[in-house]
Structures are given as C-alpha cells and as structure tokens.
Amino acid sequence: MSTFPDRKAARVRELMEGPHPTVPVGLAAAAAARGDRLLRRRRALRRFGWTVLCAAALAFTVWAALTRPWATPPSDVSPPLEGW
C-alpha cells in the first residue's frame, strides 16, 4: 500500500499534539449574537410569509364571493320566439 495515508495520519497527529491556538475572547458571545439575529430573521420571514399567504387567501375569498366565477354568466342572446 502507499504511504500517503500514513503521512496524512502523521501530520494530523502532529497538529493535534502541538500547541493549540487560543480562542478569541468574544467569539462565543459573537456567535450567540449572530445566531440570535439569524433566528429572529427567520422568524420574521416566516411570519411575513404566513401573513402574505393569509392575505392572499382572504383576497381570493372576497373576490370569489363577489364575482361568483362558478355561476354561469347570463345569456346575451334571447331564445327564439315561437308561436307568434
């Protein structure tokens, strides 16, 4: 077999055993704040979407109640008169 995977494993072991970099002081707070912003944005978009959907359903219901698209339109042509 090749020694390439062994070299990769050795390099990973070196990195894990070596000195670890320090974490910036405000990293956790910044990540939590960003997560809160993302959640608020998603929640606002979801509410906006539901509001638009409900408004569209209400507008369709009002339109359908006023125009009655299921009813046949009145005929403009009168039937022929017979028996006169």
Side-chain angles (χ1 to χ4, degrees), residues 4-30:
F4 183 67
D6 293 333
R7 283 188 291 160
K8 285 175 95 176
R11 179 69 180 140
V12 168
R13 269 188 239 106
E14 279 178 30
L15 289 172
M16 295 298 284
E17 291 171 357
H20 301 292
T22 59
V23 178
V25 175
L27 184 63

mmCIF file of all heavy atoms in Angstrom, residues 4-30:
data_model
loop_
_atom_site.group_PDB
_atom_site.id
_atom_site.type_symbol
_atom_site.label_atom_id
_atom_site.label_comp_id
_atom_site.label_asym_id
_atom_site.label_seq_id
_atom_site.Cartn_x
_atom_site.Cartn_y
_atom_site.Cartn_z
ATOM 1 N N PHE A 4 1.003 7.327 1.539
ATOM 2 C CA PHE A 4 0.319 8.613 1.571
ATOM 3 C C PHE A 4 -0.664 8.723 2.742
ATOM 4 O O PHE A 4 -0.619 9.704 3.471
ATOM 5 C CB PHE A 4 -0.377 8.872 0.233
ATOM 6 C CG PHE A 4 -1.042 10.206 0.156
ATOM 7 C CD1 PHE A 4 -0.289 11.367 0.146
ATOM 8 C CD2 PHE A 4 -2.411 10.309 0.106
ATOM 9 C CE1 PHE A 4 -0.892 12.601 0.078
ATOM 10 C CE2 PHE A 4 -3.024 11.531 0.040
ATOM 11 C CZ PHE A 4 -2.259 12.679 0.017
ATOM 12 N N PRO A 5 -1.554 7.762 2.978
ATOM 13 C CA PRO A 5 -2.445 7.886 4.136
ATOM 14 C C PRO A 5 -1.680 7.920 5.456
ATOM 15 O O PRO A 5 -2.097 8.584 6.396
ATOM 16 C CB PRO A 5 -3.335 6.658 4.053
ATOM 17 C CG PRO A 5 -3.302 6.253 2.632
ATOM 18 C CD PRO A 5 -1.932 6.633 2.151
ATOM 19 N N ASP A 6 -0.551 7.206 5.529
ATOM 20 C CA ASP A 6 0.235 7.228 6.759
ATOM 21 C C ASP A 6 0.824 8.617 7.006
ATOM 22 O O ASP A 6 0.887 9.063 8.141
ATOM 23 C CB ASP A 6 1.359 6.188 6.687
ATOM 24 C CG ASP A 6 0.793 4.772 6.672
ATOM 25 O OD1 ASP A 6 -0.318 4.582 7.216
ATOM 26 O OD2 ASP A 6 1.448 3.886 6.110
ATOM 27 N N ARG A 7 1.246 9.277 5.943
ATOM 28 C CA ARG A 7 1.774 10.631 6.096
ATOM 29 C C ARG A 7 0.681 11.582 6.545
ATOM 30 O O ARG A 7 0.914 12.466 7.375
ATOM 31 C CB ARG A 7 2.389 11.120 4.781
ATOM 32 C CG ARG A 7 3.766 10.528 4.513
ATOM 33 C CD ARG A 7 4.395 11.167 3.325
ATOM 34 N NE ARG A 7 3.638 10.746 2.137
ATOM 35 C CZ ARG A 7 3.657 11.383 0.971
ATOM 36 N NH1 ARG A 7 4.360 12.470 0.827
ATOM 37 N NH2 ARG A 7 2.966 10.931 -0.043
ATOM 38 N N LYS A 8 -0.515 11.397 5.998
ATOM 39 C CA LYS A 8 -1.629 12.255 6.412
ATOM 40 C C LYS A 8 -1.949 12.039 7.884
ATOM 41 O O LYS A 8 -2.166 12.996 8.634
ATOM 42 C CB LYS A 8 -2.876 11.968 5.572
ATOM 43 C CG LYS A 8 -2.807 12.536 4.177
ATOM 44 C CD LYS A 8 -4.009 12.122 3.380
ATOM 45 C CE LYS A 8 -5.074 13.168 3.440
ATOM 46 N NZ LYS A 8 -6.242 12.851 2.596
ATOM 47 N N ALA A 9 -1.981 10.797 8.295
ATOM 48 C CA ALA A 9 -2.282 10.488 9.692
ATOM 49 C C ALA A 9 -1.192 11.061 10.602
ATOM 50 O O ALA A 9 -1.481 11.594 11.679
ATOM 51 C CB ALA A 9 -2.412 8.987 9.884
ATOM 52 N N ALA A 10 0.064 10.967 10.173
ATOM 53 C CA ALA A 10 1.162 11.504 10.973
ATOM 54 C C ALA A 10 1.050 13.025 11.084
ATOM 55 O O ALA A 10 1.273 13.602 12.155
ATOM 56 C CB ALA A 10 2.506 11.115 10.359
ATOM 57 N N ARG A 11 0.671 13.676 9.989
ATOM 58 C CA ARG A 11 0.523 15.137 10.009
ATOM 59 C C ARG A 11 -0.626 15.551 10.943
ATOM 60 O O ARG A 11 -0.505 16.521 11.688
ATOM 61 C CB ARG A 11 0.267 15.641 8.586
ATOM 62 C CG ARG A 11 0.076 17.110 8.485
ATOM 63 C CD ARG A 11 1.356 17.867 8.754
ATOM 64 N NE ARG A 11 1.079 19.300 8.645
ATOM 65 C CZ ARG A 11 1.567 20.211 9.442
ATOM 66 N NH1 ARG A 11 2.401 19.867 10.406
ATOM 67 N NH2 ARG A 11 1.267 21.469 9.284
ATOM 68 N N VAL A 12 -1.708 14.804 10.914
ATOM 69 C CA VAL A 12 -2.831 15.103 11.800
ATOM 70 C C VAL A 12 -2.411 14.917 13.253
ATOM 71 O O VAL A 12 -2.743 15.733 14.116
ATOM 72 C CB VAL A 12 -4.052 14.220 11.442
ATOM 73 C CG1 VAL A 12 -5.121 14.304 12.511
ATOM 74 C CG2 VAL A 12 -4.611 14.614 10.089
ATOM 75 N N ARG A 13 -1.682 13.844 13.538
ATOM 76 C CA ARG A 13 -1.200 13.624 14.908
ATOM 77 C C ARG A 13 -0.305 14.769 15.362
ATOM 78 O O ARG A 13 -0.385 15.221 16.508
ATOM 79 C CB ARG A 13 -0.448 12.296 15.006
ATOM 80 C CG ARG A 13 -1.362 11.156 15.377
ATOM 81 C CD ARG A 13 -0.576 9.898 15.670
ATOM 82 N NE ARG A 13 -1.040 8.881 14.729
ATOM 83 C CZ ARG A 13 -0.377 8.435 13.662
ATOM 84 N NH1 ARG A 13 0.825 8.881 13.403
ATOM 85 N NH2 ARG A 13 -0.906 7.547 12.863
ATOM 86 N N GLU A 14 0.560 15.254 14.464
ATOM 87 C CA GLU A 14 1.430 16.387 14.799
ATOM 88 C C GLU A 14 0.601 17.623 15.153
ATOM 89 O O GLU A 14 0.899 18.320 16.126
ATOM 90 C CB GLU A 14 2.331 16.744 13.609
ATOM 91 C CG GLU A 14 3.551 15.898 13.444
ATOM 92 C CD GLU A 14 4.325 16.329 12.210
ATOM 93 O OE1 GLU A 14 4.264 17.536 11.851
ATOM 94 O OE2 GLU A 14 4.989 15.489 11.606
ATOM 95 N N LEU A 15 -0.420 17.888 14.352
ATOM 96 C CA LEU A 15 -1.252 19.068 14.607
ATOM 97 C C LEU A 15 -2.017 18.931 15.920
ATOM 98 O O LEU A 15 -2.195 19.916 16.648
ATOM 99 C CB LEU A 15 -2.237 19.279 13.455
ATOM 100 C CG LEU A 15 -1.624 19.758 12.135
ATOM 101 C CD1 LEU A 15 -2.676 19.742 11.039
ATOM 102 C CD2 LEU A 15 -1.048 21.143 12.292
ATOM 103 N N MET A 16 -2.488 17.730 16.226
ATOM 104 C CA MET A 16 -3.251 17.530 17.448
ATOM 105 C C MET A 16 -2.367 17.608 18.695
ATOM 106 O O MET A 16 -2.819 18.054 19.745
ATOM 107 C CB MET A 16 -3.964 16.176 17.416
ATOM 108 C CG MET A 16 -5.021 16.056 16.330
ATOM 109 S SD MET A 16 -6.355 17.222 16.524
ATOM 110 C CE MET A 16 -7.251 16.465 17.839
ATOM 111 N N GLU A 17 -1.127 17.187 18.586
ATOM 112 C CA GLU A 17 -0.219 17.189 19.735
ATOM 113 C C GLU A 17 0.431 18.550 19.953
ATOM 114 O O GLU A 17 0.864 18.858 21.053
ATOM 115 C CB GLU A 17 0.858 16.122 19.564
ATOM 116 C CG GLU A 17 0.308 14.709 19.658
ATOM 117 C CD GLU A 17 1.344 13.675 19.270
ATOM 118 O OE1 GLU A 17 2.471 14.066 18.885
ATOM 119 O OE2 GLU A 17 1.020 12.482 19.331
ATOM 120 N N GLY A 18 0.482 19.358 18.908
ATOM 121 C CA GLY A 18 1.179 20.637 19.001
ATOM 122 C C GLY A 18 0.405 21.642 19.825
ATOM 123 O O GLY A 18 -0.647 21.361 20.398
ATOM 124 N N PRO A 19 0.932 22.847 19.922
ATOM 125 C CA PRO A 19 0.253 23.893 20.704
ATOM 126 C C PRO A 19 -1.054 24.302 20.009
ATOM 127 O O PRO A 19 -1.110 24.466 18.801
ATOM 128 C CB PRO A 19 1.254 25.042 20.717
ATOM 129 C CG PRO A 19 2.085 24.831 19.500
ATOM 130 C CD PRO A 19 2.156 23.332 19.308
ATOM 131 N N HIS A 20 -2.084 24.424 20.797
ATOM 132 C CA HIS A 20 -3.387 24.794 20.258
ATOM 133 C C HIS A 20 -3.518 26.311 20.257
ATOM 134 O O HIS A 20 -3.095 26.978 21.198
ATOM 135 C CB HIS A 20 -4.508 24.189 21.118
ATOM 136 C CG HIS A 20 -4.445 22.698 21.181
ATOM 137 N ND1 HIS A 20 -4.695 21.902 20.101
ATOM 138 C CD2 HIS A 20 -4.148 21.850 22.196
ATOM 139 C CE1 HIS A 20 -4.574 20.633 20.436
ATOM 140 N NE2 HIS A 20 -4.230 20.570 21.718
ATOM 141 N N PRO A 21 -4.113 26.856 19.208
ATOM 142 C CA PRO A 21 -4.279 28.315 19.159
ATOM 143 C C PRO A 21 -5.315 28.756 20.197
ATOM 144 O O PRO A 21 -6.232 28.012 20.544
ATOM 145 C CB PRO A 21 -4.786 28.576 17.741
ATOM 146 C CG PRO A 21 -5.379 27.288 17.293
ATOM 147 C CD PRO A 21 -4.618 26.215 17.999
ATOM 148 N N THR A 22 -5.134 29.955 20.677
ATOM 149 C CA THR A 22 -6.072 30.480 21.666
ATOM 150 C C THR A 22 -7.334 30.986 20.968
ATOM 151 O O THR A 22 -7.289 31.487 19.849
ATOM 152 C CB THR A 22 -5.451 31.639 22.456
ATOM 153 O OG1 THR A 22 -5.080 32.658 21.541
ATOM 154 C CG2 THR A 22 -4.244 31.171 23.229
ATOM 155 N N VAL A 23 -8.438 30.843 21.650
ATOM 156 C CA VAL A 23 -9.727 31.285 21.109
ATOM 157 C C VAL A 23 -9.902 32.751 21.474
ATOM 158 O O VAL A 23 -9.645 33.147 22.611
ATOM 159 C CB VAL A 23 -10.857 30.427 21.709
ATOM 160 C CG1 VAL A 23 -12.207 30.893 21.210
ATOM 161 C CG2 VAL A 23 -10.636 28.966 21.375
ATOM 162 N N PRO A 24 -10.341 33.570 20.522
ATOM 163 C CA PRO A 24 -10.578 34.983 20.836
ATOM 164 C C PRO A 24 -11.597 35.128 21.972
ATOM 165 O O PRO A 24 -12.494 34.309 22.142
ATOM 166 C CB PRO A 24 -11.131 35.560 19.535
ATOM 167 C CG PRO A 24 -10.654 34.638 18.468
ATOM 168 C CD PRO A 24 -10.556 33.294 19.102
ATOM 169 N N VAL A 25 -11.476 36.199 22.722
ATOM 170 C CA VAL A 25 -12.263 36.390 23.932
ATOM 171 C C VAL A 25 -13.762 36.467 23.626
ATOM 172 O O VAL A 25 -14.564 35.811 24.252
ATOM 173 C CB VAL A 25 -11.797 37.673 24.663
ATOM 174 C CG1 VAL A 25 -12.688 37.951 25.855
ATOM 175 C CG2 VAL A 25 -10.353 37.533 25.075
ATOM 176 N N GLY A 26 -14.178 37.248 22.665
ATOM 177 C CA GLY A 26 -15.604 37.464 22.419
ATOM 178 C C GLY A 26 -16.197 36.542 21.384
ATOM 179 O O GLY A 26 -17.279 36.819 20.857
ATOM 180 N N LEU A 27 -15.531 35.447 21.059
ATOM 181 C CA LEU A 27 -16.010 34.584 19.984
ATOM 182 C C LEU A 27 -17.353 33.936 20.331
ATOM 183 O O LEU A 27 -18.264 33.922 19.508
ATOM 184 C CB LEU A 27 -14.977 33.507 19.675
ATOM 185 C CG LEU A 27 -15.305 32.596 18.503
ATOM 186 C CD1 LEU A 27 -15.365 33.399 17.224
ATOM 187 C CD2 LEU A 27 -14.292 31.483 18.384
ATOM 188 N N ALA A 28 -17.498 33.405 21.522
ATOM 189 C CA ALA A 28 -18.748 32.743 21.905
ATOM 190 C C ALA A 28 -19.900 33.733 21.946
ATOM 191 O O ALA A 28 -21.004 33.441 21.465
ATOM 192 C CB ALA A 28 -18.587 32.054 23.254
ATOM 193 N N ALA A 29 -19.664 34.902 22.493
ATOM 194 C CA ALA A 29 -20.721 35.918 22.555
ATOM 195 C C ALA A 29 -21.114 36.385 21.158
ATOM 196 O O ALA A 29 -22.303 36.567 20.865
ATOM 197 C CB ALA A 29 -20.266 37.101 23.394
ATOM 198 N N ALA A 30 -20.129 36.554 20.284
ATOM 199 C CA ALA A 30 -20.422 36.985 18.918
ATOM 200 C C ALA A 30 -21.202 35.912 18.163
ATOM 201 O O ALA A 30 -22.142 36.211 17.421
ATOM 202 C CB ALA A 30 -19.128 37.312 18.178
#
